[in-house]
Amino acid sequence: MSVTARIAIGWLYLVLCGCMAPEGYEPHVPEGDPRQGREVLAELECGVCHVIPGVPGARGRVGPALADYKRNVYIAGRYPNDPDILTRFVRDAPSMSPDTAMPAIEMSEAQARDIAAYLYSL
Amino acid sequence: MPSWIHKPSWVHKPTRKIVLLVTGAIALVLFGALGAAVVLLSGAYSTAATTQHFKITHRLLDAGLRYSVRASASDIQAPILDEPHKYEQGAACYRLHCAQCHGAPGIAPDEEGRGMLPIASNLAQSAREWPAEWLYYVTKKGVRMSGMPAWEFRMSEESLWSTVAFLTRLPSLTRAEYAQLSQYSAQLECESAEGAEMQASEDRTKIVFRQYACHSCHRIEGVVGPKSYVGPALVEWSHRKYLAGTLPNNEENLVRFILDPQAVRPHSLMPKLEVAPAHARQMARYLLELE
């Protein structure tokens, strides 16, 4: 593709997206730090089971891919996807959904908030 | 060319004429596309169900429907329909599935049916004017962008024809006769599509997904639909280890879950969709082939 064509397409894309109505809901995790969250996700090796954009090596296929997470309506097929619930779920999934394959993972409340904040930033 | 015909000057320069025509055509298309983009992006096009089409648009769409149905129904041959057991069973189907939007002699459509755009046809008139084969085709396949569903996924083949048998009688029924027939048919069942013949093909499977409304919650690879994030995306599905959070991902478990999600996971928000077992298997196979 020629440079001109690329520029034209890029320009058109910008114009169209610029005019698009916004998608709406942006969940916000109070005191959650998305940057920290990304590091915690890498540290705890969440990528063994999940595809997580931005986390190196996170290409697991055991659990669902976590791209576009903020747009998901539900967590684990049974809870509304809301910041408080997600913060609890990432720490202790089995207590909320006993039939899930996701284990409880040791982490602090703050780390859970950071993870939730990062997932919502995707 | 006889000598008395005056040759215009451009005859000698065919290339110039072609260049002019092509440039003009391209300019026209670009201009049209630009106009369409402006209308679309400015939000000027109303999608409200209170904004009717222009009269000419409405007439054109009507005509388009008729030509399309005529062409599609040309190979269909109606069975004998004028038999009491057929139109009586058809009356049961009509009362259960059709009267809500189409109304019936002396009976208005329900709330859901009244404000629709386009409005559902009054079938007493359709049945007067359309041959049985057309009625069958529209009932079976539905009408795109009109709200008319495809009943082949909800009614057996026999019930479809029974419904048409009832429709052919509809124009001749008085209010009292309809009430009587409808009351009598209340004891009859409209047979569901459970036993309907299934042909498995990739295109057919995509239709099956859509006909159970799967794509209203799931993004499904190869199936065009809304960008829905209600349920998990069904892409690259063969790589998934688990389904519904806990079951090993294989054909038998997928079929089980599709047929009765709550039997597998009582709290799952996925509803039971009364999927015919053959359809569930078709879906499972399709998903497990997604690389």
Side-chain angles (χ1 to χ4, degrees):
Chain A
M1 200 189 299
S2 77
V3 179
T4 331
R6 274 165 200 266
I7 291 173
I9 289 172
W11 181 79
L12 197 70
Y13 189 77
L14 273 178
V15 169
L16 287 175
C17 293
C19 296
M20 289 280 183
E23 296 281 3
Y25 181 56
E26 290 283 343
H28 173 69
V29 185
E31 295 169 54
D33 179 352
R35 282 179 174 203
Q36 296 271 342
R38 189 166 74 165
E39 275 161 38
V40 178
L41 281 162
E43 203 177 298
L44 297 175
E45 298 183 330
C46 304
V48 172
C49 292
H50 296 283
V51 173
I52 315 170
V55 176
R59 280 194 289 269
R61 303 273 202 169
V62 181
L66 303 178
D68 266 344
Y69 201 81
K70 63 167 170 271
R71 296 207 64 196
N72 283 354
V73 179
Y74 298 113
I75 296 171
R78 63 184 283 185
Y79 295 107
N81 182 10
D82 125 327
D84 283 347
I85 297 176
L86 182 62
T87 305
R88 278 200 287 143
F89 191 83
V90 296
R91 276 179 94 184
D92 192 0
S95 75
M96 296 169 70
S97 188
D99 51 358
T100 183
M102 173 150 156
I105 299 161
E106 217 165 290
M107 69 179 92
S108 68
E109 164 95 31
Q111 283 177 315
R113 272 201 299 267
D114 293 343
I115 287 181
Y118 180 71
L119 293 180
Y120 285 145
S121 75
L122 294 175
Chain B
M1 192 181 277
S3 58
W4 46 267
I5 291 183
H6 173 69
K7 291 181 189 170
S9 61
W10 50 258
V11 167
H12 302 293
K13 292 176 184 163
T15 3
R16 205 175 139 202
K17 189 204 170 196
I18 289 167
V19 168
L20 260 172
L21 271 175
V22 169
T23 320
I26 291 175
L28 213 66
V29 168
L30 284 179
F31 194 69
L34 189 73
V38 166
V39 171
L40 189 80
L41 297 176
S42 68
Y45 183 83
S46 172
T47 54
T50 48
T51 310
Q52 181 58 288
H53 295 296
F54 295 124
K55 195 170 183 175
I56 173 98
T57 318
H58 200 293
R59 297 287 175 272
L60 273 171
L61 291 171
D62 266 351
L65 174 68
R66 255 195 297 278
Y67 284 115
S68 174
V69 171
R70 184 180 68 176
S72 304
S74 60
D75 291 337
I76 300 169
Q77 185 69 52
I80 293 165
L81 296 172
D82 192 17
E83 296 177 70
H85 74 275
K86 282 189 182 163
Y87 62 72
E88 282 161 9
Q89 201 214 351
C93 295
Y94 191 88
R95 190 177 50 80
L96 272 171
H97 300 309
C98 312
Q100 292 80 355
C101 290
H102 292 283
I107 295 172
D110 286 354
E111 301 271 333
E112 294 84 347
R114 284 180 216 173
M116 289 182 80
L117 199 167
I119 193 76
S121 325
N122 183 305
L123 295 177
Q125 180 168 0
S126 304
R128 271 169 72 97
E129 296 170 359
W130 285 23
E133 289 82 2
W134 295 21
L135 298 171
Y136 167 82
Y137 178 80
V138 167
T139 311
K140 178 173 176 159
K141 293 291 180 185
V143 180
R144 179 143 56 128
M145 302 233 328
S146 79
M148 172 71 177
W151 288 96
E152 70 174 307
F153 288 88
R154 292 147 244 287
M155 272 189 215
S156 69
E157 179 71 9
E158 198 192 316
S159 292
L160 284 172
W161 277 116
S162 299
T163 305
V164 174
F166 170 77
L167 290 179
T168 56
R169 286 188 68 84
L170 190 58
S172 67
L173 295 179
T174 63
R175 183 187 190 122
E177 284 165 338
Y178 174 75
Q180 200 184 359
L181 187 54
S182 177
Q183 199 185 4
Y184 172 74
S185 75
Q187 52 170 331
L188 303 174
E189 277 189 30
C190 182
E191 199 182 40
S192 76
E194 191 105 354
E197 186 190 334
M198 311 296 169
Q199 306 154 293
S201 70
E202 198 183 303
D203 280 345
R204 183 76 182 171
T205 308
K206 290 178 187 176
I207 296 174
V208 170
F209 277 117
R210 291 201 306 268
Q211 289 301 318
Y212 287 102
C214 303
H215 63 324
S216 77
C217 293
H218 298 279
R219 281 162 292 140
I220 308 167
E221 208 168 317
V223 178
V224 178
K227 264 178 118 178
S228 181
Y229 288 76
V230 180
L234 306 179
V235 296
E236 302 177 355
W237 193 257
S238 61
H239 296 286
R240 280 292 286 266
K241 300 281 184 295
Y242 293 100
L243 69 98
T246 180
L247 282 181
N249 182 22
N250 60 40
E251 189 177 319
E252 286 320 306
N253 284 338
L254 257 179
V255 170
R256 257 177 73 202
F257 188 68
I258 294 168
L259 290 177
D260 192 354
Q262 279 67 40
V264 177
R265 287 194 96 196
H267 298 286
S268 174
L269 280 152
M270 166 138 155
K272 191 173 173 178
L273 282 139
E274 311 294 341
V275 178
H279 285 157
R281 194 154 296 276
Q282 233 174 300
M283 292 172 183
R285 287 189 181 150
Y286 177 91
L287 293 177
L288 289 169
E289 273 170 22
L290 297 177
E291 285 291 331

